[in-house]
Amino acid sequence: MTRVIFQVEGMHCEKCVKTIEGHLGQLQGVSAVTASLKNKAVTIDYNPDEVSEDVLRKEIDDLGYDIVA
């Protein structure tokens, strides 16, 4: 497993957190997702043989959030 942490802008409420966690958590190869409003961060544990970091970035972008780091 690999862990990546993205700094994400655009999360404003618990609904945003649940949207990100729910959507990314359904992707094949993703074992855990934690979004933090306080830290403006999304932490993802994933299998790089099944899903790439680029796909994870695109999924967050497609949900309407901006990765800043």
Side-chain angles (χ1 to χ4, degrees), residues 49-62:
D49 293 331
E50 295 182 52
V51 64
S52 70
E53 187 174 315
D54 288 340
V55 167
L56 300 174
R57 286 177 177 274
K58 183 178 181 327
E59 292 292 331
I60 292 171
D61 185 62
D62 288 351

Side-chain angles (χ1 to χ4, degrees), residues 7-42:
Q7 294 300 309
V8 177
E9 293 291 331
M11 292 189 297
H12 302 290
C13 62
E14 283 301 316
K15 184 176 179 186
C16 296
V17 168
K18 290 183 189 302
T19 296
I20 291 171
E21 290 178 345
H23 184 76
L24 295 177
Q26 293 179 13
L27 296 175
Q28 179 151 348
V30 173
S31 62
V33 181
T34 304
S36 170
L37 266 179
K38 179 183 172 187
N39 297 328
K40 296 183 180 180
V42 177

